[in-house]
């Protein structure tokens, strides 16, 4: 039985008890909802992998209430890390640090490093304070699904598999934290997210971004065989390049005759796309809003029963890089329109 509870102080206290006794609790963070377990309890952490059907080769992020707890899970903390923590914690930045032996291998997939962050969300912080424990928490979705940005998304994916869901409304950032490896010079973004490359560079100088493995295919779509992550149920095509908007509209005109087509669109493009017959999910008109709505939009279009989802790229500055990363992983194929 899974309880879905409003995040009142009483229910947060109850959730903390569940975590202390080895249970599983989904809770809101500023990025997406997390599925938490006591990071120092290997049995509890096993439950996360089972509930999500997540392969154990994929390591988890450990969440802390405050910077002073970092030595609980990290063996050493370089000076750069402290500067970044001071600048961005609490917040959507995950740092990769040398692991403390007390952290079970399951949390880190036997790596010598551990991923750590202090989230910037009053409910997450209250829960973390109340337990006093480091809490391992991946996004609270079934493996391969899009990350949940509301308690209802978690309910759809994990009901019956976890103990409790704390409902704290919609996540404000909407894409996951930035994962940063500071063991190299320059530091390397392993996953773009809520703290942008520009924000990091303002504090520690040049930062590189781990290359996207997926490449755009020129010309007409052909069945994609590429690995998908964070994906909606429907087939999804991402248009990139200067003429992405035109290519998307051409595809809608053609596919709309034979299939029910959904589009994730910026507000200013929505009206015309609706007139052209698409089911449109409005993402808003700036990158903050687009990031906040991207996962909810994929879930909503799936719920509308569309056969095909079309979307376009929003560039690589600021949050655009994280949005691009998630769209590339979600897309069945990526079509370039230079
Ligand atoms: O915003 C977020 O980060 C959310 C919320 C709940 O905090 N959590 C989240 O967790 O997105 P998850 O498990 O879905 O993603 C964790 C990412 C994965 O890409 C994983 O490979 C990476 O962090 N990661 C974890 N430990 C690592 C390590 N030791 N070295 C390199 N990457 C690591
Ligand atoms: Mg995830």
């Amino acid at each position: 039985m899974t309880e879905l509870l409003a995040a009142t102080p009483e229910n947060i206290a109850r959730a903390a008890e569940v975590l202390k006794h080895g249970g599983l609790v989904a809770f809101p963070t500023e990025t997406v909802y997390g599925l938490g377990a006591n990071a120092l309890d290997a049995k509890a952490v096993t439950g996360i992998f089972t509930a999500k059907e997540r392969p154990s080769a994929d390591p988890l992020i450990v969440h802390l209430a405050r910077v002073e707890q970092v030595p609980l899970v990290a063996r050493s903390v370089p000076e750069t890390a402290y500067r970044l923590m001071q600048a961005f914690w609490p917040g959507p930045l995950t740092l990769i640090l040398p692991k403390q032996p007390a952290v079970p291998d399951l949390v880190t997939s036997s790596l010598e490093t551990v991923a750590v962050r202090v989230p910037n969300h009053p409910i997450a912080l209250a829960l973390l304070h109340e337990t006093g424990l480091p809490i391992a928490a991946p996004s609270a979705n079934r493996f391969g699904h899009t990350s949940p940005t509301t308690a209802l998304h978690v309910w759809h994916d994990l009901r019956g598999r976890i103990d409790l869901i704390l409902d704290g409304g919609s996540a404000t950032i909407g894409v996951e934290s930035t994962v940063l490896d500071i063991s190299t010079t320059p530091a390397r973004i392993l996953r773009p997210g809520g703290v942008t490359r520009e924000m990091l560079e303002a504090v520690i100088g040049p930062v590189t971004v781990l290359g996207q493995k997926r490449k755009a295919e020129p010309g007409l779509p052909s069945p994609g065989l590429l690995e998908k992550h964070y994906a909606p149920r429907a087939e999804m095509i991402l248009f990139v390049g200067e003429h992405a908007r035109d290519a998307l509209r051409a595809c809608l005109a053609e596919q709309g005759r034979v299939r029910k087509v959904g589009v994730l669109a910026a507000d200013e493009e929505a009206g015309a796309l609706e007139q052209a017959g698409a089911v449109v999910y409005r993402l808003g008109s700036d990158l903050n809003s687009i990031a906040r709505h991207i996962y909810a939009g994929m879930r909503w279009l799936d719920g509308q029963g569309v056969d095909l989802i079309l979307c376009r790229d929003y560039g690589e500055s600021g949050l655009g890089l994280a949005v691009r990363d998630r769209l590339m992983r979600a897309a069945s194929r990526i079509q370039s329109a230079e």
Side-chain angles (χ1 to χ4, degrees), residues 52 54 139 141 147 176 230:
K52 284 187 55 119
R54 177 176 169 124
S139 50
N141 51 280
S147 294
E176 299 88 340
Y230 310 125

Side-chain angles (χ1 to χ4, degrees), residues 29 31-34 54 58-61 63 94 96 111 113-115 117 137-139 176-177 179 190-191:
T29 82
T31 56
V32 300
Y33 274 68
R54 177 176 169 124
D58 200 0
L60 307 176
I61 295 173
H63 295 67
T94 295
I96 306 298
L111 294 171
T113 52
V114 62
R117 85 175 186 105
S139 50
E176 299 88 340
S177 62
V179 178
L190 302 182
R191 177 180 73 182

Side-chain angles (χ1 to χ4, degrees), residues 94-136:
T94 295
L95 295 172
I96 306 298
L97 299 171
K99 165 178 126 56
Q100 197 54 275
V103 179
D105 283 340
L106 193 57
V107 173
T108 62
S109 305
S110 302
L111 294 171
E112 286 303 305
T113 52
V114 62
V116 190
R117 85 175 186 105
V118 175
N120 185 19
H121 192 289
I123 296 164
L125 287 172
L127 182 67
L128 291 164
H129 274 289
E130 191 100 14
T131 62
L133 292 167
I135 298 294

